[in-house]
Amino acid sequence: MLFTKKNDVDFLELLIKAAENTLEAANVFRQAMNDTKPPSETFQAVKDLETKGDELTRTIFNGLNKVFITPLEREDILELASSLDDVLDGIEASLARFDYLSVTITDTYMKGFAEVIVDSCQLILDAFKVLSKKKYLQLTQFTEQISNLENEGDRLMREGIREIFTHRKDPYEDFKLKEIYERLEQTTDSCKDVANILHGVVLRYS
């Protein structure tokens, strides 16, 4: 657990560590989408990072129950940690689908989603570093970029599902692809949720 000189939990540093862990998972996912081996072979690596993320989130939650003075409103810290955890859960859940749906290949849409998620996670990490310096107005540039990336995620899902229904193949295989696209889009939504909370911080503290 991280502490300040006053023996308080360093929530902002914990959020940065959680964002770094989530970005690492996103990079592993992107590698899986671009590798020649089945994506499911990297599932355990992401699962381990997801477990580490849960531990960081739990440390933040426990700290909020013990510390009286926090650098932000308790609800802001709680929501940031929870929403970031949703991003990591989404990455893990997306990769899990390759495993239990027995999907062994990737496509252009999956690779596009991977780029969107990595870029979004990088922006979240950069935003948390700015947040730790209390440069609230600078957060806006990150929240806007994450929102734009979420729009790209929406486009990828629409185009992917359109491709399924315009070039129908085996219905079971089509279902698998649709399931993966939709879960990946939900993960980009979770990234935007983090951005929305950061936007609220801007309005509250700037």
Side-chain angles (χ1 to χ4, degrees):
M1 184 180 295
L2 295 173
F3 295 92
T4 65
K5 293 180 180 180
K6 296 181 180 180
N7 205 38
D8 291 336
V9 180
D10 193 338
F11 293 106
L12 298 181
E13 184 61 27
L14 281 168
L15 285 173
I16 289 173
K17 286 187 173 298
E20 290 173 339
N21 186 64
T22 303
L23 176 59
E24 185 176 351
N27 277 313
V28 172
F29 180 79
R30 177 171 62 181
Q31 180 180 349
M33 294 302 99
N34 289 281
D35 209 334
T36 55
K37 61 184 179 181
S40 59
E41 291 190 17
T42 59
F43 175 67
Q44 188 58 50
V46 170
K47 184 63 180 176
D48 291 343
L49 291 167
E50 193 265 341
T51 299
K52 180 180 178 181
D54 285 343
E55 292 172 356
L56 288 165
T57 302
R58 188 159 45 249
T59 299
I60 293 172
F61 287 0
N62 290 339
L64 289 171
N65 291 325
K66 298 177 181 178
V67 175
F68 292 102
I69 299 175
T70 57
L72 300 171
E73 293 290 336
R74 291 175 183 273
E75 288 186 2
D76 290 331
I77 296 172
L78 179 66
E79 290 180 353
L80 284 172
S82 180
S83 294
L84 183 61
D85 188 60
D86 288 342
V87 175
L88 184 50
D89 286 345
I91 295 170
E92 187 268 342
S94 297
L95 196 53
R97 279 159 171 74
F98 285 89
D99 181 32
Y100 67 73
L101 293 175
S102 298
V103 177
T104 59
I105 60 173
T106 60
D107 60 27
T108 301
Y109 303 107
M110 297 169 188
K111 293 175 182 178
F113 269 116
E115 294 297 332
V116 167
I117 292 171
V118 168
D119 289 347
S120 297
C121 289
Q122 180 64 64
L123 288 166
I124 289 171
L125 173 57
D126 293 342
F128 281 7
K129 289 179 178 179
V130 168
L131 178 64
S132 70
K133 298 176 183 178
K134 299 182 178 180
K135 297 180 179 180
Y136 303 116
L137 286 176
Q138 292 185 21
L139 292 173
T140 302
Q141 61 179 309
F142 302 106
T143 59
E144 290 177 349
Q145 291 180 71
I146 293 170
S147 180
N148 290 336
L149 286 167
E150 191 271 338
N151 291 335
E152 175 63 10
D154 288 342
R155 186 194 68 79
L156 286 167
M157 185 185 70
R158 289 194 304 270
E159 293 298 322
I161 293 177
R162 180 180 292 114
E163 179 75 13
I164 290 172
F165 285 99
T166 54
H167 299 87
R168 298 178 186 178
K169 299 176 183 177
D170 181 278
Y172 290 104
E173 295 303 317
D174 289 344
F175 165 79
K176 292 176 183 181
L177 293 178
K178 183 174 180 291
E179 179 74 9
I180 291 172
Y181 296 155
E182 290 179 340
R183 192 62 187 88
L184 287 168
E185 193 275 333
Q186 290 172 17
T187 305
T188 64
D189 285 345
S190 295
C191 293
K192 188 176 180 180
D193 289 341
V194 177
N196 288 339
I197 298 164
L198 288 170
H199 182 66
V201 170
V202 174
L203 296 177
R204 192 171 294 113
Y205 292 97
S206 60

